[in-house]
Amino acid sequence: MPAVDIPGSKSITARALFLAAAADGVTTLVRPLRSDDTEGFAEGLVRLGYRVGRAPEAWQVDGRPQGPAVPEAEVYCRDGATTARFLPTLAATGRGTYRFDASPQMRRRPLLPLTRALRDLGVDLRHEGADGHHPLTVVAKGVEGGEVVLDAGQSSQYLTALLLLGPLTRKGLRIRVTDLVSVPYVEITIAMMREFGVEVGREGDVFVVPPGGYRATTYAIEPDASTASYFFAAAAVTPGAEATVPGLGTGALQGDLGFVDVLRRMGAEVSVGAEGTTVRGTGELRGLTVNMRDISDTMPTLAAIAPFADGPVRIEDVANTRVKECDRLEACAENLRRLGVEVGTGPDWIEIRPGAVPAGAEIKSYGDHRIVMSFAVTGLRVPGIAFDDPGCVRKTFPGFHEAFAELGEGLGGRR
């Protein structure tokens, strides 16, 4: 199989857009992800008065350390969780009245721990409907800073939003974290802040962020490791097949590259080098029990290939997947049962018990891009799989189905 061209990381693109908007000067983002989520984030910045130039291979952002350029704005966050959580935080650094709303799917997703922390920092933030959900209005007058306590056990994005905010406050921030999920995503944030001139300190459970702002830079976006998981999984379930993703190797920021270690434990051959990562299918796929708390976005990928293992696959400590674009844990269970696979679930775990060969069925997507992309991998081995909403992949990878069809043709002789 030739090298797979994976689009840029959604997580890194969203953080880079925030950092570029907050920095002093013009920042160039090289090979950013162009998808519904990231276009929505960029559009939100434009609504707030930032200049964002979007060429095919690079975006340029004129930073405004003093916050939004307009005194009032209405921002629609679409389905994007990073947009819906990061942009109100950025808006709080300016002076004006900014209203944010989002899609019905995003309105259901929680942000109360973040909005509580912002209020504790003196931000005038009002929810129109349910507390802790969109729509909301920020009446901004800058942020003083100081100490704040945060529960990030539901989403690491709450902590990322406050870390990104820290250098834009007058005093800096000390953030005491009582619980934290998806730690690698926080490490991405801290590494990226360093590239924009800010060093975050840590004292036990307290993150220390100095004031002083960011400096503009040129920043290259690495390929999306969560998206790469579908191509790595495709190779793992196909004897003799290989998938190589250039640009995602030993120096990668994203924790989701750790998914290849799960595939290695199951029997795939894995090579991680400086230039990229390769997975090769050996014809063996062993059952296992794995804690995926830190790489929970790849939980559906593993669930989707679990029926081809030689024993049960149990995925633990993934309670936070219940508050993603959908309840991913139940969505995986429901769709596997549709295929005739035996599944058990609990509050924070799912166990898939391979047995009879899965039969084709329509996959219920729940409007979640990761459910569709994961079960596309199952479809390489199970004829007759279809999707009720195949287009929802535009959230992170608009060209996914074309890329995956090409992959399927490349694997044709090996299945």
Side-chain angles (χ1 to χ4, degrees):
M1 193 192 305
V4 183
D5 185 19
I6 299 291
S9 161
K10 179 180 77 158
S11 305
I12 292 176
T13 301
R15 286 161 175 77
L17 282 167
F18 184 113
L19 289 161
D24 191 5
V26 179
T27 291
T28 300
L29 306 181
V30 182
R31 290 204 73 206
L33 171 65
R34 299 197 74 135
S35 73
D36 196 63
D37 268 17
T38 56
E39 292 279 4
F41 199 115
E43 189 55 44
L45 287 176
V46 170
R47 295 301 294 266
L48 292 169
Y50 296 88
R51 193 193 73 81
V52 182
R54 285 173 272 181
E57 287 299 306
W59 290 357
Q60 279 197 327
V61 184
D62 285 11
R64 287 184 52 85
Q66 67 272 46
V70 295
E72 53 186 57
E74 295 252 349
V75 178
Y76 182 63
C77 300
R78 305 190 194 181
D79 279 340
T82 48
T83 311
R85 291 163 178 166
F86 295 177
L87 285 187
T89 308
L90 178 64
T93 66
R95 298 197 173 269
T97 302
Y98 309 105
R99 183 180 181 272
F100 298 86
D101 201 356
S103 68
Q105 183 191 61
M106 189 59 228
R107 277 185 170 199
R108 287 192 295 272
R109 296 182 68 181
L111 62 155
L112 187 58
L114 173 61
T115 56
R116 270 189 183 144
L118 289 171
R119 283 171 174 160
D120 288 347
L121 288 168
V123 175
D124 182 351
L125 188 153
R126 305 161 193 173
H127 293 281
E128 287 177 24
D131 206 26
H133 294 268
H134 279 275
L136 61 89
T137 297
V138 175
V139 180
K141 51 183 185 299
V143 184
E144 188 68 16
E147 296 210 12
V148 69
V149 177
L150 176 75
D151 179 349
Q154 221 171 28
S155 172
S156 63
Q157 287 177 5
Y158 306 149
L159 176 55
T160 280
L162 293 180
L163 290 170
L164 293 171
L165 169 67
L168 304 173
T169 64
R170 289 183 275 273
K171 290 184 182 170
L173 282 183
R174 290 178 59 86
I175 309 158
R176 183 177 300 282
V177 178
T178 57
D179 192 15
L180 180 57
V181 73
S182 302
V183 172
Y185 282 98
V186 176
E187 290 167 353
I188 290 173
T189 305
I190 291 170
M192 290 182 67
M193 288 171 68
R194 189 176 298 123
E195 293 293 313
F196 283 78
V198 173
E199 196 67 48
V200 176
R202 186 148 185 200
E203 300 166 6
D205 294 331
V206 179
F207 291 81
V208 183
V209 193
Y214 297 102
R215 62 165 185 260
T217 187
T218 296
Y219 192 88
I221 310 292
E222 68 187 36
D224 193 294
S226 310
T227 300
S229 74
Y230 313 116
F231 295 85
F232 291 141
V237 300
T238 311
E242 246 181 41
T244 298
V245 177
L248 204 58
T250 45
L253 293 179
Q254 298 162 85
D256 276 5
L257 184 57
F259 179 72
V260 299
D261 296 326
V262 179
L263 295 178
R264 183 190 278 125
R265 284 178 59 194
M266 295 179 82
E269 285 180 10
V270 175
S271 167
V272 183
E275 301 301 315
T277 297
T278 299
V279 172
R280 183 175 172 276
T282 60
E284 181 177 29
L285 212 60
R286 296 188 289 270
L288 82 173
T289 296
V290 59
N291 183 308
M292 296 188 85
R293 179 183 178 91
D294 285 344
I295 56 169
S296 59
D297 272 352
T298 61
M299 178 277 288
T301 321
L302 180 56
I305 64 169
F308 313 120
D310 64 8
V313 172
R314 184 180 172 92
I315 305 168
E316 297 180 336
D317 206 1
V318 286
N320 68 312
T321 64
R322 291 189 177 276
V323 291
K324 297 282 188 174
E325 281 80 343
C326 70
D327 181 338
R328 285 184 179 157
L329 207 145
E330 285 307 324
C332 287
E334 157 72 14
N335 283 312
L336 287 166
R337 289 181 185 121
R338 286 179 174 218
L339 302 177
V341 178
E342 187 185 334
V343 184
T345 60
D348 67 346
W349 60 269
I350 181 169
E351 185 171 297
I352 299 103
R353 303 168 190 125
V357 178
E362 183 175 79
I363 298 299
K364 189 174 177 185
S365 68
Y366 298 90
D368 189 333
H369 58 132
R370 299 224 178 274
I371 298 299
V372 171
M373 292 192 272
S374 296
F375 281 91
V377 185
T378 317
L380 292 172
R381 293 273 298 264
V382 180
I385 282 185
F387 300 96
D388 66 351
D389 181 13
C392 68
V393 297
R394 64 183 170 273
K395 183 176 173 70
T396 47
F397 191 173
F400 173 79
H401 293 295
E402 293 77 9
F404 219 70
E406 200 174 304
L407 169 78
E409 287 164 18
L411 297 179
R414 300 190 178 96
R415 276 180 274 174

